[in-house]
Amino acid sequence: FKDNGAVFFIFGATGDLAKRKLFPAFFSLYKEGKLPERFAVIGLARRARTKEQFKADLLQSITEFARYKLNAEDEIWQRFVEHFEYLSLDIHNVEGYKALKDASERLEDKFDIKGNRLFYLALAPELFAGVANNLKLGGLLEGSGWNRLVIEKPFGYDLESAEKLNRQIGEVFREEEIFRIDHYLGKEMVQNIEIIRFANAFFEPLWNNKYIANIQITLSETVGVEERGGYYDHSGAIRDMGQNHMLQMVTMMAMEPPSRLNPEDIRDEKVKVLRSLRIHETAEDVRANVVRGQYTDGVLRGKALPGYRSEDAVSPDSVTETYFGARLYVDNFRWAGVPFYIRTGKRLPVKTTEVVVEFKNMPDNVYLAKRTKLQPNLLVFRVNPLEGIYIKINAKQPGSDSMIIPVAMDFCQSCQVGLNTPEAYERLLYDAARGESTYFTRWDEVSLQWRFVDRIVQAWSKDSRDLNLYPAGSWGPEAMDKLLAEDGFHWWPIN
Ligand code: BG6
């Protein structure tokens, strides 16, 4: 890619993802010299846009959302925007793809690009298979370089539909050409989990059921469903966040060290975790280990908010969950008996992504017990909004000869002055262009994720009495706290 460049085809170029994430990502990569001059981007959508209108859209998206400041007068902007074109395309009509092929060849000539093509489908998933097929029929895959397909989640609605989609796409692209995005895998601190675990003598020897009591993963959001009620009401939190982002976080925490740091070895280890994930087989198992909730009217930061059922495009008697929590077990030698508690929800009090590793208590020996009740050691990964890790350890309270208190050793990466961390999409776009697939979801991961989720959804569909209502602005159903309490644990407060 660095030497030969590529043409990027952005399907859904007038959509939200392109505007908020993809175009700003291109700009940051360009600014940092990661995009060679041999690149071109073709924005594609049904809507007619003139070149000038498209340039104006781009400028607006970048000035509003990119992490580097930009003015239209900047010389870099003039150079950058030259690489962009827009084409109105009816994605169902193969004729349009022929015109697209001509446009691509023209740009390849203009920028001396050696035939590499990356197709990014920022589209509704039901369109993926049709577009893939039309790319083939339109002759777009006959270039002299590589072809890659980048697709957004959700990949299917359940295992069956995911398998079907995979078969359809598989008729056009090989597995190694398919880059399935899970943008959580592009986050700095999610990638850092691997390094913290495997590059530190402090942690790796303790990373097992002898020393770890439980692991808590929280992906909380303050937003409601916004304008996405139509999609969300059919998806719910388990499909929107659980099947993908949450299970990926579990695999990052639980995987064995790969023998080599290459994409397939890493993904093999992640697949092993998913294979060891205990399936909640029966409706009773599901009720005993999984919690779902839906927000009702409430108050968040002083603002009164409507309940989920009054949101736009949501059915007034919807039983879709906006909160999903569960107790998971990874049934292998390392993790036998260690619960992983996961939770995600909309309209919770704070926006955060955090993983807490709670270590087992030290033996209560006489010397310590006399003094004070010891708190367990914690290792906390902060993924968002702060990035960093901190450790809670026990130490003597200064000035006292009998008190032991928990103290924090904090490494706040995002507090460093001048640090401007790349966004997840930036990294993933760059990786896809380089053919680096580590942080993309392989098909066997997707299918195992669905295998786990399907059983839960099936149990839920038969009986909705376990749907807990929680007021917007609260931490979700108490039933989730009870799950931890059953095991003698509680959620550690989010800092
Ligand atoms: C998306 C979900 O995948 O992730 C959204 O579809 C959610 O519902 C979003 O809001 C959260 O991502 P982030 O990066 O803001 O935590």
Side-chain angles (χ1 to χ4, degrees):
F1 164 64
K2 214 167 171 3
D3 296 332
N4 297 326
V7 180
F8 296 81
F9 300 74
I10 307 294
F11 288 78
T14 52
D16 222 41
L17 184 75
K19 177 166 122 191
R20 285 171 186 271
K21 301 290 180 191
L22 303 182
F23 296 141
F26 276 111
F27 182 67
S28 304
L29 291 173
Y30 189 68
K31 176 113 183 157
E32 292 187 348
K34 289 182 176 152
L35 275 182
E37 287 298 329
R38 284 176 166 165
F39 86 98
V41 179
I42 309 181
L44 298 156
R46 182 190 287 268
R47 204 191 303 168
R49 298 305 272 157
T50 62
K51 192 165 178 157
E52 289 318 305
Q53 283 171 326
F54 185 53
K55 274 190 183 178
D57 293 347
L58 275 175
L59 184 63
Q60 200 209 346
S61 124
I62 293 166
T63 43
E64 195 173 342
F65 297 108
R67 61 192 177 89
Y68 289 109
K69 293 267 160 290
L70 173 70
N71 285 310
E73 298 75 48
D74 294 348
E75 190 260 324
I76 188 171
W77 164 247
Q78 307 300 338
R79 276 193 285 125
F80 174 73
V81 76
E82 273 310 298
H83 294 260
F84 283 75
E85 282 211 0
Y86 180 84
L87 200 77
S88 154
L89 177 77
D90 170 3
I91 51 177
H92 304 293
N93 182 357
V94 97
E95 289 309 310
Y97 290 75
K98 296 184 181 152
L100 182 56
K101 185 180 177 212
D102 295 341
S104 174
E105 285 169 355
R106 195 171 29 76
L107 288 167
E108 282 162 2
D109 274 353
K110 179 170 169 192
F111 293 105
D112 192 21
I113 297 165
K114 309 288 185 208
N116 296 334
R117 293 175 180 169
L118 185 147
F119 306 96
Y120 196 121
L121 310 194
L123 297 172
E126 55 273 21
L127 303 172
F128 293 167
V131 171
N133 202 35
N134 280 341
L135 287 172
K136 182 162 120 189
L137 297 177
L140 276 144
L141 307 182
E142 291 157 14
S144 53
W146 48 251
N147 297 305
R148 289 182 192 141
L149 181 74
V150 181
I151 41 184
E152 278 294 326
K153 64 167 253 288
F155 195 89
Y157 182 73
D158 51 19
L159 181 56
E160 198 185 333
S161 56
E163 277 172 342
K164 181 169 169 213
L165 176 58
N166 203 48
R167 263 196 315 277
Q168 290 170 327
I169 293 178
E171 283 165 17
V172 183
F173 290 94
R174 283 176 284 122
E175 174 65 28
E176 56 275 24
E177 295 175 323
I178 305 173
F179 290 71
R180 296 179 194 82
I181 294 246
D182 183 314
H183 80 278
Y184 267 65
L185 291 177
K187 291 183 189 256
E188 181 74 32
M189 282 308 295
V190 174
Q191 298 191 353
N192 210 355
I193 291 174
E194 213 179 303
I195 311 299
I196 302 286
R197 283 190 52 194
F198 302 139
N200 287 296
F202 282 145
F203 301 126
E204 177 44 35
L206 307 182
W207 214 257
N208 56 53
N209 61 359
K210 292 190 192 67
Y211 298 100
I212 293 181
N214 71 79
I215 293 185
Q216 308 182 0
I217 304 179
T218 301
L219 272 58
S220 64
E221 296 190 274
T222 51
V223 291
V225 290
E226 315 293 289
E227 291 87 40
R228 300 161 74 222
Y231 148 77
Y232 196 89
D233 209 31
H234 289 104
S235 147
I238 194 169
R239 289 191 175 90
D240 187 50
M241 302 284 279
Q243 182 264 348
N244 34 72
H245 310 324
M246 298 220 76
L247 290 182
Q248 285 291 348
M249 303 272 290
V250 171
T251 60
M252 296 294 284
M253 292 301 289
M255 68 191 260
E256 295 297 317
S259 49
R260 278 166 305 179
L261 270 187
N262 67 38
E264 297 320 326
D265 286 327
I266 294 173
R267 297 197 294 184
D268 285 348
E269 292 306 336
K270 292 170 68 187
V271 163
K272 285 188 208 159
V273 174
L274 292 167
R275 278 204 206 111
S276 311
L277 196 60
R278 188 181 303 173
I279 304 284
H280 297 310
E281 294 278 356
T282 62
E284 287 73 51
D285 287 343
V286 170
R287 267 197 304 277
N289 292 288
V290 184
V291 172
R292 59 174 158 165
Q294 188 189 73
Y295 62 83
T296 56
D297 301 354
V299 179
L300 186 60
R301 298 209 189 103
K303 197 171 162 215
L305 294 166
Y308 176 69
R309 289 177 190 171
S310 328
E311 300 273 19
D312 264 0
V314 168
S315 154
D317 50 8
S318 170
V319 292
T320 298
E321 78 290 352
T322 59
Y323 178 102
F324 158 64
R327 171 170 49 205
L328 312 181
Y329 287 100
V330 178
D331 284 329
N332 62 17
F333 198 76
R334 186 187 284 266
W335 293 112
V338 179
F340 286 66
Y341 304 108
I342 62 174
R343 60 176 169 173
T344 183
K346 303 268 185 208
R347 290 284 189 236
L348 300 184
V350 289
K351 163 82 185 160
T352 192
T353 304
E354 209 175 271
V355 183
V356 179
V357 180
E358 177 177 335
F359 289 87
K360 290 191 170 166
N361 284 325
M362 293 295 286
D364 236 352
N365 69 32
V366 183
Y367 164 72
L368 290 170
K370 251 189 171 166
R371 299 183 164 202
T372 187
K373 177 142 180 45
L374 289 185
Q375 297 286 318
N377 290 150
L378 305 178
L379 164 64
V380 181
F381 292 87
R382 286 164 156 171
V383 177
N384 177 280
L386 287 180
E387 289 170 6
I389 59 167
Y390 71 87
I391 313 172
K392 279 266 179 84
I393 57 173
N394 290 309
K396 181 169 153 312
Q397 179 162 45
S400 138
D401 57 10
S402 62
M403 287 293 287
I404 296 175
I405 51 163
V407 295
M409 286 169 69
D410 199 344
F411 163 57
C412 177
Q413 178 163 287
S414 52
C415 303
Q416 288 173 33
V417 184
L419 188 79
N420 190 357
T421 332
E423 289 232 2
Y425 274 96
E426 218 173 300
R427 255 195 223 101
L428 294 175
L429 196 61
Y430 184 53
D431 281 356
R434 293 188 297 155
E436 162 55 77
S437 54
T438 303
Y439 295 113
F440 293 85
T441 317
R442 210 167 61 186
W443 163 246
D444 44 0
E445 293 176 74
V446 179
S447 73
L448 289 163
Q449 290 166 344
W450 279 123
R451 184 182 71 144
F452 175 79
V453 164
D454 275 3
R455 299 294 175 94
I456 298 175
V457 174
Q458 275 159 20
W460 282 353
S461 67
K462 295 205 179 82
D463 184 350
S464 59
R465 276 175 301 177
D466 63 321
L467 179 74
N468 298 275
L469 300 176
Y470 64 95
S474 71
W475 269 110
E478 281 171 17
M480 191 64 213
D481 300 340
K482 285 196 190 131
L483 265 189
L484 277 73
E486 281 171 15
D487 304 334
F489 301 126
H490 59 80
W491 289 107
W492 289 98
I494 300 288
N495 281 287

